[in-house]
């Protein structure tokens, strides 16, 4: 099967399996969505959402975060792990958000990734979720599923993104991210993939023998 056909097949099967798949980070406000995205590194979305509920009891804006300061912020976001680095990133990003971006998230990936603390994963997440701009979010689940299926040979997220984008239509990208992540969490598990119940087992190159 050609890679573009494989991408469509995977998309269609997973779309049937997970009709409600969506981003699991709360999206109440673009700035706090950006904060959640930074907090989500190596942390579950459930924990991030809960932590931001606690954070928003103390601050309600980017200005208030800067006033709060790095040390106090790091105490509040501690449950998300890597809290010192994340607090530093949130403060640096907030200064850019306020001063350079005029309190608006840019709609341009190059501008987004020019900000320390924002990589392609977060940048693409912001473009897709905030603006509906076609963008593929490659996280650890996406990378694993794409490689097992045979859509890429790479482990490098930027190369995986390029490989998958090359063989799929832009209209698929945002939803494909949600579908692959949900599938990776539920069936195509890192340690024990449930190949016996997988709807893609007939076309998967990485199927468990
Ligand atoms: S067959 Fe197994 S390895 Fe392949 S996509 Fe399905 S669950 Fe993942």
């Amino acid at each position: 099967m050609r890679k573009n056909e494989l991408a469509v097949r995977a998309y269609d099967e997973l779309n049937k399996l997970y009709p409600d798949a969506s981003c699991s980070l709360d999206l109440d406000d673009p700035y706090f969505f950006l904060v959640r995205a930074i907090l989500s590194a190596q942390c579950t979305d459930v924990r991030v959402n809960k932590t931001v509920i606690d954070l928003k009891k103390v601050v309600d804006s980017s200005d208030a975060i800067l006033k709060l300061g790095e040390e106090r912020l790091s105490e509040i976001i501690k449950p998300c792990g890597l809290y010192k680095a994340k607090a530093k990133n949130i403060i640096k990003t907030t200064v850019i958000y306020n001063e350079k971006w005029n309190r608006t998230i840019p709609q341009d990936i190059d501008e987004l990734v020019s900000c320390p603390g924002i990589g392609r994963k977060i940048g693409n997440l912001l473009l897709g979720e905030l603006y509906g701009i076609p963008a593929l979010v490659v996280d650890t689940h996406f990378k694993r599923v794409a490689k097992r299926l045979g859509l890429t040979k790479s482990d490098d997220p930027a190369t995986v993104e390029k490989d998958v984008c090359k063989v799929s239509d832009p209209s698929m990208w945002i939803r494909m991210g949600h579908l692959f992540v949900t599938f990776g969490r539920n069936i195509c598990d890192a340690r024990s993939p449930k190949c016996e119940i997988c709807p893609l087992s007939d076309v998967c190159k990485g199927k468990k023998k």
Side-chain angles (χ1 to χ4, degrees), residues 7-193:
V8 170
R9 167 79 195 277
Y11 183 95
D12 288 345
E13 290 289 354
L14 299 181
N15 210 22
K16 275 188 257 163
L17 199 60
Y18 306 115
D20 300 325
S22 62
C23 176
S24 44
L25 287 177
D26 290 342
L27 204 179
D28 50 353
D29 153 281
Y31 171 70
F32 279 98
F33 187 69
L34 168 62
V35 171
R36 287 186 188 91
I38 294 174
L39 289 176
S40 69
Q42 293 180 45
C43 180
T44 66
D45 290 351
V46 174
R47 180 160 300 198
V48 169
N49 287 334
K50 204 168 160 288
T51 303
V52 175
I53 289 174
D54 292 337
L55 177 64
K56 290 186 82 177
K57 288 176 188 158
V58 185
V59 290
D60 62 356
S61 65
S62 56
D63 294 319
I65 289 253
L66 293 181
K67 231 177 260 168
L68 186 71
E70 195 175 310
E71 207 177 315
R72 179 85 183 92
L73 175 63
S74 70
E75 282 163 26
I76 300 173
I77 65 169
K78 206 167 185 172
C80 294
L82 306 170
Y83 57 97
K84 286 191 180 154
K86 287 180 182 177
K88 208 179 277 291
N89 270 345
I90 290 171
I91 296 289
K92 271 192 212 160
T93 304
T94 302
V95 171
I96 291 173
Y97 172 81
N98 277 3
E99 293 175 7
K100 189 173 173 208
W101 296 343
N102 267 329
R103 295 177 169 77
T104 306
I105 308 284
Q107 301 191 23
D108 175 65
I109 190 68
D110 295 328
E111 182 62 35
L112 286 166
V113 300
S114 73
C115 175
I118 300 188
R120 286 196 72 83
K121 186 176 83 166
I122 294 181
N124 284 335
L125 180 73
L126 294 167
L127 292 181
E129 297 306 308
L130 297 178
Y131 301 118
I133 295 172
L136 194 68
V137 176
V138 176
D139 77 341
T140 179
H141 298 293
F142 190 99
K143 205 171 72 169
R144 181 177 69 253
V145 170
K147 191 172 179 190
R148 282 177 176 170
L149 282 173
L151 291 169
T152 182
K153 288 189 171 123
S154 178
D155 284 314
D156 167 56
T159 309
V160 173
E161 183 189 333
K162 217 183 285 167
D163 289 347
V164 177
C165 286
K166 216 167 25 187
V167 297
S168 56
D169 191 83
S171 63
M172 295 160 70
W173 294 345
I174 299 174
R175 184 143 184 80
M176 200 176 196
H178 300 322
L179 292 170
F180 276 33
V181 169
T182 309
F183 176 61
R185 283 183 182 144
N186 292 290
I187 295 182
C188 194
D189 179 78
R191 287 203 189 135
S192 41

Side-chain angles (χ1 to χ4, degrees), residues 145 148-149 183 187-189 193-195 198 200-201 204-208:
V145 170
R148 282 177 176 170
L149 282 173
F183 176 61
I187 295 182
C188 194
D189 179 78
K194 301 181 182 82
C195 302
C198 175
L200 296 168
S201 61
C204 177
K205 291 200 167 51
K207 187 168 79 171
K208 212 168 48 185

